[in-house]
mmCIF file of all heavy atoms in Angstrom:
data_model
loop_
_atom_site.group_PDB
_atom_site.id
_atom_site.type_symbol
_atom_site.label_atom_id
_atom_site.label_comp_id
_atom_site.label_asym_id
_atom_site.label_seq_id
_atom_site.Cartn_x
_atom_site.Cartn_y
_atom_site.Cartn_z
ATOM 1 N N GLY A 123 -14.185 -11.107 13.611
ATOM 2 C CA GLY A 123 -15.505 -11.341 12.943
ATOM 3 C C GLY A 123 -15.657 -10.756 11.639
ATOM 4 O O GLY A 123 -16.731 -10.877 11.098
ATOM 5 N N LYS A 124 -14.624 -10.171 11.125
ATOM 6 C CA LYS A 124 -14.617 -9.614 9.830
ATOM 7 C C LYS A 124 -13.762 -10.476 8.798
ATOM 8 O O LYS A 124 -12.946 -11.150 9.255
ATOM 9 C CB LYS A 124 -14.275 -8.294 9.790
ATOM 10 C CG LYS A 124 -15.055 -7.303 10.760
ATOM 11 C CD LYS A 124 -16.382 -7.052 10.396
ATOM 12 C CE LYS A 124 -17.077 -6.020 11.147
ATOM 13 N NZ LYS A 124 -18.472 -5.850 10.647
ATOM 14 N N GLY A 125 -13.974 -10.114 7.455
ATOM 15 C CA GLY A 125 -13.194 -10.802 6.600
ATOM 16 C C GLY A 125 -11.862 -10.041 6.357
ATOM 17 O O GLY A 125 -11.647 -8.890 6.905
ATOM 18 N N ARG A 126 -10.980 -10.591 5.552
ATOM 19 C CA ARG A 126 -9.650 -9.992 5.313
ATOM 20 C C ARG A 126 -9.767 -9.006 4.129
ATOM 21 O O ARG A 126 -9.977 -9.435 2.943
ATOM 22 C CB ARG A 126 -8.691 -10.976 4.939
ATOM 23 C CG ARG A 126 -7.192 -10.417 5.083
ATOM 24 C CD ARG A 126 -6.182 -11.596 5.074
ATOM 25 N NE ARG A 126 -6.338 -12.360 6.327
ATOM 26 C CZ ARG A 126 -5.386 -13.432 6.546
ATOM 27 N NH1 ARG A 126 -4.375 -13.524 5.853
ATOM 28 N NH2 ARG A 126 -5.601 -14.033 7.619
ATOM 29 N N GLU A 127 -9.858 -7.688 4.414
ATOM 30 C CA GLU A 127 -10.131 -6.706 3.396
ATOM 31 C C GLU A 127 -8.832 -5.955 2.963
ATOM 32 O O GLU A 127 -7.877 -5.891 3.740
ATOM 33 C CB GLU A 127 -11.102 -5.683 3.906
ATOM 34 C CG GLU A 127 -10.627 -4.764 5.015
ATOM 35 C CD GLU A 127 -11.511 -3.644 5.330
ATOM 36 O OE1 GLU A 127 -12.489 -3.303 4.587
ATOM 37 O OE2 GLU A 127 -11.219 -2.818 6.308
ATOM 38 N N GLY A 128 -8.873 -5.668 1.775
ATOM 39 C CA GLY A 128 -7.641 -4.916 1.099
ATOM 40 C C GLY A 128 -7.580 -3.510 1.638
ATOM 41 O O GLY A 128 -8.599 -2.842 1.630
ATOM 42 N N VAL A 129 -6.513 -3.091 2.034
ATOM 43 C CA VAL A 129 -6.239 -1.808 2.507
ATOM 44 C C VAL A 129 -5.438 -0.907 1.586
ATOM 45 O O VAL A 129 -5.903 0.182 1.126
ATOM 46 C CB VAL A 129 -5.538 -1.687 3.856
ATOM 47 C CG1 VAL A 129 -5.247 -0.396 4.337
ATOM 48 C CG2 VAL A 129 -6.229 -2.570 4.920
ATOM 49 N N SER A 130 -4.354 -1.413 1.086
ATOM 50 C CA SER A 130 -3.534 -0.664 0.166
ATOM 51 C C SER A 130 -2.563 -1.605 -0.587
ATOM 52 O O SER A 130 -1.974 -2.537 0.130
ATOM 53 C CB SER A 130 -2.719 0.286 0.886
ATOM 54 O OG SER A 130 -1.973 1.141 -0.106
ATOM 55 N N CYS A 131 -2.378 -1.563 -1.780
ATOM 56 C CA CYS A 131 -1.479 -2.420 -2.568
ATOM 57 C C CYS A 131 -0.671 -1.624 -3.551
ATOM 58 O O CYS A 131 -1.012 -0.512 -3.882
ATOM 59 C CB CYS A 131 -2.329 -3.429 -3.301
ATOM 60 S SG CYS A 131 -3.040 -4.628 -2.099
ATOM 61 N N ILE A 132 0.445 -2.098 -3.938
ATOM 62 C CA ILE A 132 1.476 -1.397 -4.957
ATOM 63 C C ILE A 132 1.893 -2.459 -5.845
ATOM 64 O O ILE A 132 2.140 -3.621 -5.505
ATOM 65 C CB ILE A 132 2.537 -0.711 -4.008
ATOM 66 C CG1 ILE A 132 3.323 0.047 -5.032
ATOM 67 C CG2 ILE A 132 3.378 -1.818 -3.409
ATOM 68 C CD1 ILE A 132 4.236 1.118 -4.261
ATOM 69 N N SER A 133 1.925 -2.058 -7.133
ATOM 70 C CA SER A 133 2.410 -2.924 -8.116
ATOM 71 C C SER A 133 3.943 -3.117 -7.995
ATOM 72 O O SER A 133 4.667 -2.424 -7.301
ATOM 73 C CB SER A 133 2.122 -2.340 -9.538
ATOM 74 O OG SER A 133 2.791 -1.136 -9.767
ATOM 75 N N HIS A 134 4.486 -4.100 -8.714
ATOM 76 C CA HIS A 134 5.863 -4.429 -8.562
ATOM 77 C C HIS A 134 6.806 -3.203 -8.920
ATOM 78 O O HIS A 134 7.887 -3.214 -8.364
ATOM 79 C CB HIS A 134 6.375 -5.690 -9.431
ATOM 80 C CG HIS A 134 6.393 -5.304 -10.948
ATOM 81 N ND1 HIS A 134 5.442 -5.144 -11.714
ATOM 82 C CD2 HIS A 134 7.607 -5.019 -11.665
ATOM 83 C CE1 HIS A 134 5.917 -4.935 -12.991
ATOM 84 N NE2 HIS A 134 7.140 -4.888 -12.878
ATOM 85 N N ASN A 135 6.367 -2.408 -9.860
ATOM 86 C CA ASN A 135 7.222 -1.260 -10.189
ATOM 87 C C ASN A 135 6.813 0.029 -9.684
ATOM 88 O O ASN A 135 7.299 1.148 -10.044
ATOM 89 C CB ASN A 135 7.287 -1.195 -11.773
ATOM 90 C CG ASN A 135 5.918 -0.963 -12.389
ATOM 91 O OD1 ASN A 135 4.959 -0.773 -11.683
ATOM 92 N ND2 ASN A 135 5.733 -1.099 -13.635
ATOM 93 N N SER A 136 5.966 -0.004 -8.677
ATOM 94 C CA SER A 136 5.397 1.182 -8.103
ATOM 95 C C SER A 136 4.462 2.153 -8.891
ATOM 96 O O SER A 136 4.165 3.200 -8.476
ATOM 97 C CB SER A 136 6.436 2.025 -7.353
ATOM 98 O OG SER A 136 7.248 1.145 -6.393
ATOM 99 N N GLU A 137 4.202 1.729 -10.127
ATOM 100 C CA GLU A 137 3.362 2.607 -10.951
ATOM 101 C C GLU A 137 1.963 2.692 -10.624
ATOM 102 O O GLU A 137 1.231 3.502 -11.095
ATOM 103 C CB GLU A 137 3.639 2.242 -12.430
ATOM 104 C CG GLU A 137 4.999 2.527 -12.899
ATOM 105 C CD GLU A 137 5.281 2.295 -14.349
ATOM 106 O OE1 GLU A 137 4.206 1.748 -15.089
ATOM 107 O OE2 GLU A 137 6.265 2.625 -14.781
ATOM 108 N N ASP A 138 1.456 1.506 -10.014
ATOM 109 C CA ASP A 138 -0.001 1.375 -9.634
ATOM 110 C C ASP A 138 -0.122 1.186 -8.136
ATOM 111 O O ASP A 138 0.588 0.322 -7.714
ATOM 112 C CB ASP A 138 -0.731 0.298 -10.465
ATOM 113 C CG ASP A 138 -0.763 0.679 -12.029
ATOM 114 O OD1 ASP A 138 -1.212 1.640 -12.436
ATOM 115 O OD2 ASP A 138 -0.161 -0.159 -12.754
ATOM 116 N N THR A 139 -1.093 1.968 -7.691
ATOM 117 C CA THR A 139 -1.332 1.764 -6.299
ATOM 118 C C THR A 139 -2.866 1.724 -6.034
ATOM 119 O O THR A 139 -3.718 2.146 -6.868
ATOM 120 C CB THR A 139 -0.810 2.856 -5.336
ATOM 121 O OG1 THR A 139 -1.346 4.143 -5.771
ATOM 122 C CG2 THR A 139 0.651 2.807 -5.312
ATOM 123 N N TYR A 140 -3.350 1.132 -4.938
ATOM 124 C CA TYR A 140 -4.652 1.086 -4.662
ATOM 125 C C TYR A 140 -4.812 1.425 -3.148
ATOM 126 O O TYR A 140 -3.983 1.076 -2.292
ATOM 127 C CB TYR A 140 -5.344 -0.358 -4.782
ATOM 128 C CG TYR A 140 -6.616 -0.466 -4.142
ATOM 129 C CD1 TYR A 140 -7.837 -0.058 -4.771
ATOM 130 C CD2 TYR A 140 -6.696 -1.096 -2.833
ATOM 131 C CE1 TYR A 140 -9.017 -0.227 -4.139
ATOM 132 C CE2 TYR A 140 -8.007 -1.258 -2.273
ATOM 133 C CZ TYR A 140 -9.021 -0.805 -2.801
ATOM 134 O OH TYR A 140 -10.333 -0.903 -2.128
ATOM 135 N N TYR A 141 -5.914 2.201 -2.924
ATOM 136 C CA TYR A 141 -6.174 2.517 -1.480
ATOM 137 C C TYR A 141 -7.634 2.333 -1.248
ATOM 138 O O TYR A 141 -8.481 2.658 -2.063
ATOM 139 C CB TYR A 141 -5.879 3.959 -1.066
ATOM 140 C CG TYR A 141 -4.303 4.237 -1.207
ATOM 141 C CD1 TYR A 141 -3.815 4.771 -2.296
ATOM 142 C CD2 TYR A 141 -3.501 3.986 -0.035
ATOM 143 C CE1 TYR A 141 -2.416 5.019 -2.227
ATOM 144 C CE2 TYR A 141 -2.157 4.183 -0.038
ATOM 145 C CZ TYR A 141 -1.680 4.752 -1.112
ATOM 146 O OH TYR A 141 -0.296 5.082 -1.268
ATOM 147 N N GLU A 142 -8.032 1.564 -0.163
ATOM 148 C CA GLU A 142 -9.448 1.478 0.277
ATOM 149 C C GLU A 142 -9.908 2.941 0.594
ATOM 150 O O GLU A 142 -9.248 3.655 1.114
ATOM 151 C CB GLU A 142 -9.516 0.481 1.494
ATOM 152 C CG GLU A 142 -10.866 -0.023 1.655
ATOM 153 C CD GLU A 142 -11.701 0.801 2.632
ATOM 154 O OE1 GLU A 142 -11.043 1.598 3.382
ATOM 155 O OE2 GLU A 142 -12.888 1.031 2.404
ATOM 156 N N ASP A 143 -11.216 3.193 0.334
ATOM 157 C CA ASP A 143 -11.696 4.441 0.463
ATOM 158 C C ASP A 143 -11.420 5.099 1.787
ATOM 159 O O ASP A 143 -11.234 6.290 2.079
ATOM 160 C CB ASP A 143 -13.174 4.506 0.058
ATOM 161 C CG ASP A 143 -13.434 4.466 -1.345
ATOM 162 O OD1 ASP A 143 -12.573 4.557 -2.187
ATOM 163 O OD2 ASP A 143 -14.617 4.096 -1.670
ATOM 164 N N SER A 144 -11.584 4.339 2.819
ATOM 165 C CA SER A 144 -11.573 4.870 4.167
ATOM 166 C C SER A 144 -10.185 5.172 4.605
ATOM 167 O O SER A 144 -10.071 5.903 5.604
ATOM 168 C CB SER A 144 -12.142 3.721 5.230
ATOM 169 O OG SER A 144 -11.272 2.723 5.470
ATOM 170 N N VAL A 145 -9.151 4.809 3.887
ATOM 171 C CA VAL A 145 -7.807 5.244 4.210
ATOM 172 C C VAL A 145 -7.180 6.178 3.334
ATOM 173 O O VAL A 145 -5.988 6.587 3.457
ATOM 174 C CB VAL A 145 -6.852 3.891 4.425
ATOM 175 C CG1 VAL A 145 -7.627 2.925 5.254
ATOM 176 C CG2 VAL A 145 -6.521 3.316 2.940
ATOM 177 N N LYS A 146 -7.813 6.526 2.178
ATOM 178 C CA LYS A 146 -7.317 7.384 1.258
ATOM 179 C C LYS A 146 -7.068 8.773 1.969
ATOM 180 O O LYS A 146 -7.795 9.354 2.682
ATOM 181 C CB LYS A 146 -8.301 7.691 0.033
ATOM 182 C CG LYS A 146 -8.390 6.525 -0.846
ATOM 183 C CD LYS A 146 -9.344 6.923 -2.033
ATOM 184 C CE LYS A 146 -9.435 5.748 -3.024
ATOM 185 N NZ LYS A 146 -10.410 5.958 -4.105
ATOM 186 N N GLY A 147 -5.885 9.331 1.675
ATOM 187 C CA GLY A 147 -5.381 10.574 2.248
ATOM 188 C C GLY A 147 -4.756 10.463 3.436
ATOM 189 O O GLY A 147 -4.223 11.371 4.154
ATOM 190 N N ARG A 148 -4.876 9.213 4.198
ATOM 191 C CA ARG A 148 -4.320 8.935 5.462
ATOM 192 C C ARG A 148 -3.210 7.935 5.478
ATOM 193 O O ARG A 148 -2.239 8.194 6.246
ATOM 194 C CB ARG A 148 -5.332 8.437 6.465
ATOM 195 C CG ARG A 148 -6.531 9.350 6.810
ATOM 196 C CD ARG A 148 -7.412 8.957 7.939
ATOM 197 N NE ARG A 148 -8.050 7.617 7.583
ATOM 198 C CZ ARG A 148 -7.886 6.618 8.364
ATOM 199 N NH1 ARG A 148 -7.104 6.629 9.489
ATOM 200 N NH2 ARG A 148 -8.562 5.520 7.977
ATOM 201 N N PHE A 149 -3.328 7.002 4.525
ATOM 202 C CA PHE A 149 -2.308 5.990 4.431
ATOM 203 C C PHE A 149 -1.411 6.066 3.200
ATOM 204 O O PHE A 149 -2.001 6.555 2.201
ATOM 205 C CB PHE A 149 -2.822 4.660 4.415
ATOM 206 C CG PHE A 149 -3.584 4.081 5.756
ATOM 207 C CD1 PHE A 149 -3.712 4.931 6.781
ATOM 208 C CD2 PHE A 149 -3.929 2.755 5.928
ATOM 209 C CE1 PHE A 149 -4.193 4.649 7.968
ATOM 210 C CE2 PHE A 149 -4.533 2.366 7.070
ATOM 211 C CZ PHE A 149 -4.668 3.200 8.072
ATOM 212 N N THR A 150 -0.231 5.752 3.207
ATOM 213 C CA THR A 150 0.638 5.708 2.066
ATOM 214 C C THR A 150 1.415 4.466 1.947
ATOM 215 O O THR A 150 2.063 4.015 2.957
ATOM 216 C CB THR A 150 1.501 6.811 2.103
ATOM 217 O OG1 THR A 150 0.912 8.171 2.213
ATOM 218 C CG2 THR A 150 2.470 6.980 0.835
ATOM 219 N N ILE A 151 1.351 3.766 0.887
ATOM 220 C CA ILE A 151 2.107 2.568 0.653
ATOM 221 C C ILE A 151 3.303 3.013 -0.172
ATOM 222 O O ILE A 151 3.273 3.688 -1.119
ATOM 223 C CB ILE A 151 1.282 1.412 -0.060
ATOM 224 C CG1 ILE A 151 2.035 0.163 0.068
ATOM 225 C CG2 ILE A 151 0.905 1.826 -1.392
ATOM 226 C CD1 ILE A 151 1.160 -1.108 -0.373
ATOM 227 N N SER A 152 4.531 2.414 0.029
ATOM 228 C CA SER A 152 5.587 2.583 -0.660
ATOM 229 C C SER A 152 6.581 1.321 -0.553
ATOM 230 O O SER A 152 6.367 0.509 0.219
ATOM 231 C CB SER A 152 6.447 3.862 -0.135
ATOM 232 O OG SER A 152 6.908 3.614 1.150
ATOM 233 N N ARG A 153 7.400 1.348 -1.518
ATOM 234 C CA ARG A 153 8.437 0.202 -1.450
ATOM 235 C C ARG A 153 9.815 0.678 -1.680
ATOM 236 O O ARG A 153 10.012 1.570 -2.501
ATOM 237 C CB ARG A 153 8.075 -0.844 -2.472
ATOM 238 C CG ARG A 153 7.977 -0.536 -3.883
ATOM 239 C CD ARG A 153 7.290 -1.662 -4.722
ATOM 240 N NE ARG A 153 7.906 -2.805 -4.452
ATOM 241 C CZ ARG A 153 7.201 -3.965 -4.830
ATOM 242 N NH1 ARG A 153 5.970 -4.039 -5.384
ATOM 243 N NH2 ARG A 153 7.799 -5.159 -4.603
ATOM 244 N N ASP A 154 10.794 0.072 -1.103
ATOM 245 C CA ASP A 154 12.236 0.482 -1.123
ATOM 246 C C ASP A 154 12.792 -0.921 -1.662
ATOM 247 O O ASP A 154 13.134 -1.752 -0.862
ATOM 248 C CB ASP A 154 12.759 0.916 -0.015
ATOM 249 C CG ASP A 154 14.320 1.521 -0.084
ATOM 250 O OD1 ASP A 154 14.932 0.938 -1.124
ATOM 251 O OD2 ASP A 154 14.690 2.296 0.663
ATOM 252 N N ASN A 155 13.059 -1.054 -2.937
ATOM 253 C CA ASN A 155 13.584 -2.302 -3.405
ATOM 254 C C ASN A 155 15.064 -2.503 -3.028
ATOM 255 O O ASN A 155 15.456 -3.689 -2.798
ATOM 256 C CB ASN A 155 13.567 -2.436 -5.025
ATOM 257 C CG ASN A 155 12.145 -2.572 -5.530
ATOM 258 O OD1 ASN A 155 11.250 -3.071 -4.709
ATOM 259 N ND2 ASN A 155 11.759 -2.286 -6.782
ATOM 260 N N ALA A 156 15.768 -1.393 -2.816
ATOM 261 C CA ALA A 156 17.120 -1.682 -2.151
ATOM 262 C C ALA A 156 17.159 -2.229 -0.830
ATOM 263 O O ALA A 156 18.188 -2.959 -0.525
ATOM 264 C CB ALA A 156 17.836 -0.247 -2.233
ATOM 265 N N LYS A 157 16.243 -1.947 -0.091
ATOM 266 C CA LYS A 157 16.036 -2.496 1.305
ATOM 267 C C LYS A 157 15.041 -3.765 1.172
ATOM 268 O O LYS A 157 15.008 -4.325 2.328
ATOM 269 C CB LYS A 157 15.435 -1.447 2.240
ATOM 270 C CG LYS A 157 16.335 -0.311 2.521
ATOM 271 C CD LYS A 157 15.759 0.557 3.555
ATOM 272 C CE LYS A 157 16.609 1.672 4.031
ATOM 273 N NZ LYS A 157 17.041 2.674 2.855
ATOM 274 N N ASN A 158 14.537 -4.090 0.159
ATOM 275 C CA ASN A 158 13.754 -5.271 0.006
ATOM 276 C C ASN A 158 12.554 -5.253 1.047
ATOM 277 O O ASN A 158 12.276 -6.208 1.664
ATOM 278 C CB ASN A 158 14.509 -6.495 0.171
ATOM 279 C CG ASN A 158 13.944 -7.762 -0.461
ATOM 280 O OD1 ASN A 158 13.017 -7.669 -1.388
ATOM 281 N ND2 ASN A 158 14.252 -8.857 0.026
ATOM 282 N N THR A 159 11.939 -4.051 1.155
ATOM 283 C CA THR A 159 10.928 -3.816 2.127
ATOM 284 C C THR A 159 9.734 -2.996 1.500
ATOM 285 O O THR A 159 10.073 -2.100 0.681
ATOM 286 C CB THR A 159 11.598 -2.979 3.295
ATOM 287 O OG1 THR A 159 12.671 -3.843 3.868
ATOM 288 C CG2 THR A 159 10.538 -2.910 4.462
ATOM 289 N N VAL A 160 8.631 -3.228 1.952
ATOM 290 C CA VAL A 160 7.375 -2.360 1.645
ATOM 291 C C VAL A 160 6.828 -1.802 2.931
ATOM 292 O O VAL A 160 6.903 -2.510 3.960
ATOM 293 C CB VAL A 160 6.404 -3.350 0.890
ATOM 294 C CG1 VAL A 160 5.065 -2.466 0.664
ATOM 295 C CG2 VAL A 160 6.880 -3.683 -0.384
ATOM 296 N N TYR A 161 6.390 -0.582 2.951
ATOM 297 C CA TYR A 161 5.941 0.127 4.019
ATOM 298 C C TYR A 161 4.558 0.539 3.903
ATOM 299 O O TYR A 161 3.984 0.609 2.651
ATOM 300 C CB TYR A 161 6.786 1.375 4.168
ATOM 301 C CG TYR A 161 8.275 1.125 4.265
ATOM 302 C CD1 TYR A 161 9.117 1.189 3.252
ATOM 303 C CD2 TYR A 161 8.825 0.710 5.555
ATOM 304 C CE1 TYR A 161 10.466 0.986 3.228
ATOM 305 C CE2 TYR A 161 10.240 0.536 5.662
ATOM 306 C CZ TYR A 161 11.086 0.643 4.499
ATOM 307 O OH TYR A 161 12.372 0.368 4.580
ATOM 308 N N LEU A 162 3.797 0.628 5.013
ATOM 309 C CA LEU A 162 2.565 1.388 4.966
ATOM 310 C C LEU A 162 2.584 2.340 6.177
ATOM 311 O O LEU A 162 2.593 2.056 7.310
ATOM 312 C CB LEU A 162 1.424 0.279 5.309
ATOM 313 C CG LEU A 162 0.035 0.918 5.318
ATOM 314 C CD1 LEU A 162 -0.399 1.344 3.830
ATOM 315 C CD2 LEU A 162 -0.960 -0.128 5.826
ATOM 316 N N GLN A 163 2.611 3.627 5.646
ATOM 317 C CA GLN A 163 2.658 4.730 6.524
ATOM 318 C C GLN A 163 1.193 5.084 6.843
ATOM 319 O O GLN A 163 0.339 5.407 5.971
ATOM 320 C CB GLN A 163 3.303 6.019 5.935
ATOM 321 C CG GLN A 163 3.204 7.165 6.807
ATOM 322 C CD GLN A 163 4.038 7.167 8.130
ATOM 323 O OE1 GLN A 163 5.142 6.627 8.125
ATOM 324 N NE2 GLN A 163 3.412 7.558 9.214
#
């Protein structure tokens, strides 16, 4: 019943990130280009 809301995003070079207010301090986004994978802890 809800829209698709942004939680966390990361720029291509990892220099910029965004966190939705409710997840700040709890979630961490990261990327490992060698593994070609992005994570959300």
Side-chain angles (χ1 to χ4, degrees):
K124 303 290 186 179
R126 190 170 296 188
E127 67 171 350
V129 177
S130 183
C131 296
I132 188 167
S133 63
H134 78 281
N135 58 9
S136 299
E137 292 188 356
D138 294 299
T139 58
Y140 166 84
Y141 294 95
E142 197 273 327
D143 286 344
S144 70
V145 309
K146 286 181 179 177
R148 299 189 297 121
F149 291 10
T150 302
I151 191 168
S152 63
R153 63 193 305 160
D154 186 338
N155 288 338
K157 294 183 172 64
N158 203 22
T159 302
V160 173
Y161 305 95
L162 184 67
Q163 176 68 46

